[in-house]
Amino acid sequence: MGKAAKKKGKNKPKRTHNKAPSQTEEEAELERQRHEVIKQSKIKKKTANRYGVDALLEKVQECIDSFDFTVAQQFCERALEIEPDNINALETSGSLLMETGAIENAIRCFKRAVELSPDSGFAKYLSLGQLLEGEDAVENYQTGIELMLKIRETQPELEGAAVAPVETCTSVPARDVSTAYCSIAELYMTDCCFAENAEDKCKENIENAIKIDPENPEAYQLKAGYLTTIENKEDAKDVMEKSLQLWLPKLKQLQEGRLKEGSDLDPVEVCPLSIQCRIAAAQLLIELEVYDKANEVLDLLLDEDDEIVMAWYLMGWLNFLKGEDYFGNARFYLTKTNEVAQKVGFDDEQVLKHIDELLEELGPGDDNDGDDDEDDDGDDVDINEAKDEEIESDSDDEEGGEGEAMEH
């Protein structure tokens, strides 16, 4: 029996291990993607079990505070997988998508938030106002303003109450409402300029912006722009001067270190206008031929950041407009504009074309451009060189060099 068993074993076919046919690159990539999907699915399930929506949104805020918007958006997406209709997650995701340039997805998030909660939460309407165009943008700004005004109306009553809901106790600053009115007015000067009664609606919203916040420089600047479009330039100059007085003197003092000792003013409080808004202010001042003030605004911008292409360009343009005596300055600033534009990748074809046209009209000039009228006007000095000379001078006069002299 032992031999028979042995013989049977001999006849048993041998086990072979056939290799699987080699995969093509495309098949290998599909397989890799499939494993990645499975891996991510497991991670999401693990995260969902570990974190609830509130905990995920806390993580989102931590990432936003550290400017890590990509990871913040990933946490938002996980929160929305758990609760697709969580309004807080939708609005936060929309804001992050705006920040990263995913405009269409941001619009979808905000619109879904509006569907879920149309009668509360003004921020989503203001965001849609920024993202949409024309009358759609106007309607969203108007709804946002209505909700803000309701909160402001009820706020005094809530402040006197013993207990009030947290979400309704948040104060809405007058500046926020004023800025929203300004946004509507600007739309009636641009996208909706051909709408029925556009001029009257523009004027109405500007006046509302000033009425609710008489200290908002943006509102006065917008009014000056409106007056300029209707050819009332003298009144526009007066209104523009009022706008400048709300921020320009203090910003000059701050940048020159001349604010009172112990002053803890935030630069944003001193100048609440964005760089883009200050560029617009300089453009308007040039249009109104208030060149000295335009020069001050642009000087401070370049002192703050010497890679603002539009500031260099407008410096060149205003010097060109001032006439032949300033052509050397104009040539210097326009040449500098091209250098900075190339460095930072500036691609506004219309502006670049205008610079080339101006330089062609000015001609080659000489090597002393920017120095001819140095004693007569402050417009003609290379800002960076002037600052370096100032630092060296201060260091020679004061032993050890004070921190103020070295802070550039």
Side-chain angles (χ1 to χ4, degrees):
M1 288 182 68
K3 289 182 179 180
K6 189 174 181 181
K7 187 175 181 182
K8 186 177 180 181
K10 268 187 175 181
N11 292 333
K12 186 177 180 181
K14 293 182 179 180
R15 186 183 298 273
T16 59
H17 297 279
N18 295 325
K19 291 183 179 179
S22 59
Q23 292 179 314
T24 64
E25 289 185 8
E26 184 178 352
E27 290 172 337
E29 177 61 21
L30 288 172
E31 184 69 12
R32 188 196 65 77
Q33 290 179 4
R34 188 178 71 84
H35 283 297
E36 184 64 24
V37 169
I38 293 171
K39 178 182 174 183
Q40 290 298 324
S41 178
K42 288 179 179 178
I43 291 172
K44 287 175 182 178
K45 287 179 181 178
K46 185 177 179 181
T47 305
N49 293 332
R50 183 177 176 185
Y51 297 110
V53 172
D54 291 341
L56 285 167
L57 291 176
E58 286 178 12
K59 288 286 183 183
V60 169
Q61 192 56 53
E62 289 175 12
C63 293
I64 291 173
D65 292 342
S66 59
F67 302 101
D68 194 347
F69 300 122
T70 302
V71 175
Q73 177 58 21
Q74 290 173 354
F75 278 117
C76 258
E77 289 172 358
R78 292 177 190 176
L80 288 170
E81 287 172 2
I82 300 170
E83 287 186 35
D85 289 339
N86 184 291
I87 294 174
N88 191 5
L90 283 167
E91 293 194 32
T92 304
S93 182
S95 299
L96 288 165
L97 290 165
M98 280 179 68
E99 193 70 36
T100 55
I103 304 304
E104 292 303 319
N105 288 336
I107 290 172
R108 280 194 286 271
C109 284
F110 289 126
K111 283 188 173 181
R112 181 57 182 158
V114 166
E115 290 173 3
L116 294 168
S117 180
D119 300 324
S120 64
F122 59 85
K124 56 183 177 285
Y125 288 105
L126 301 183
S127 296
L128 283 169
Q130 291 180 57
L131 296 172
L132 299 175
E133 299 177 352
E135 291 294 341
D136 288 339
V138 170
E139 288 175 10
N140 278 282
Y141 275 125
Q142 288 174 335
T143 304
I145 289 171
E146 289 171 8
L147 292 172
M148 285 191 285
L149 292 176
K150 283 182 181 178
I151 293 173
R152 287 177 61 82
E153 287 171 4
T154 57
Q155 191 64 28
E157 298 176 12
L158 291 172
E159 286 174 352
V163 179
V166 173
E167 65 273 14
T168 57
C169 283
T170 304
S171 175
V172 178
R175 180 62 51 87
D176 289 357
V177 185
S178 180
T179 300
Y181 277 126
C182 286
S183 297
I184 295 177
E186 195 166 1
L187 282 165
Y188 280 117
M189 293 174 69
T190 52
D191 292 14
C192 303
C193 61
F194 296 111
E196 186 178 355
N197 300 321
E199 186 176 314
D200 292 337
K201 291 176 180 177
C202 177
K203 182 180 178 181
E204 179 186 357
N205 280 282
I206 290 171
E207 295 304 330
N208 285 337
I210 293 172
K211 182 179 179 181
I212 198 164
D213 184 3
E215 301 297 311
N216 185 1
E218 183 184 359
Y220 291 104
Q221 180 173 316
L222 203 58
K223 184 173 182 178
Y226 163 76
L227 291 169
T228 303
T229 61
I230 62 172
E231 302 297 328
N232 188 351
K233 290 194 174 182
E234 290 308 311
D235 285 350
K237 289 179 183 179
D238 293 339
V239 175
M240 194 62 197
E241 178 62 25
K242 188 165 187 177
S243 174
L244 293 174
Q245 287 303 313
L246 289 168
W247 64 272
L248 187 57
K250 284 185 178 179
L251 184 60
K252 286 178 67 176
Q253 291 175 29
L254 179 69
Q255 293 200 1
E256 294 169 5
R258 293 190 290 111
L259 282 178
K260 292 180 180 179
E261 289 186 13
S263 174
D264 57 353
L265 282 175
D266 186 327
V268 176
E269 294 177 4
V270 172
C271 180
L273 300 181
S274 66
I275 286 176
Q276 193 57 44
C277 196
R278 282 180 276 163
I279 289 289
Q283 288 176 308
L284 183 54
L285 289 163
I286 290 171
E287 186 175 353
L288 295 171
E289 299 181 5
V290 187
Y291 297 136
D292 56 338
K293 292 294 184 182
N295 189 83
E296 285 185 45
V297 172
L298 294 169
D299 255 340
L300 289 170
L301 277 167
L302 290 172
D303 200 33
E304 190 175 318
D305 182 353
D306 63 3
E307 292 187 350
I308 303 174
V309 175
M310 285 299 295
W312 288 108
Y313 160 64
L314 291 173
M315 276 291 216
W317 176 229
L318 78 83
N319 274 279
F320 178 87
L321 292 173
K322 285 167 74 173
E324 191 172 345
D325 290 344
Y326 295 89
F327 278 4
N329 299 341
R331 190 180 296 108
F332 166 77
Y333 282 115
L334 292 169
T335 301
K336 184 70 175 179
T337 305
N338 276 336
E339 293 173 5
V340 177
Q342 186 173 6
K343 180 181 178 181
V344 303
F346 182 79
D347 60 357
D348 188 320
E349 293 183 3
Q350 189 174 353
V351 170
L352 295 173
K353 182 181 178 182
H354 190 218
I355 292 167
D356 290 340
E357 290 170 351
L358 292 172
L359 286 171
E360 184 177 355
E361 186 171 345
L362 289 166
D366 55 49
D367 294 336
N368 296 319
D369 284 351
D371 298 329
D372 298 340
D373 304 302
E374 190 169 333
D375 294 334
D376 301 325
D377 198 297
D379 303 352
D380 42 26
V381 182
D382 184 324
I383 289 174
N384 295 323
E385 291 178 4
K387 288 183 181 305
D388 291 340
E389 290 170 8
E390 182 183 343
I391 292 171
E392 290 173 8
S393 174
D394 290 345
S395 299
D396 292 339
D397 293 340
E398 298 178 15
E399 286 187 29
E402 300 242 340
E404 292 177 342
M406 296 301 293
E407 193 68 35
H408 292 275

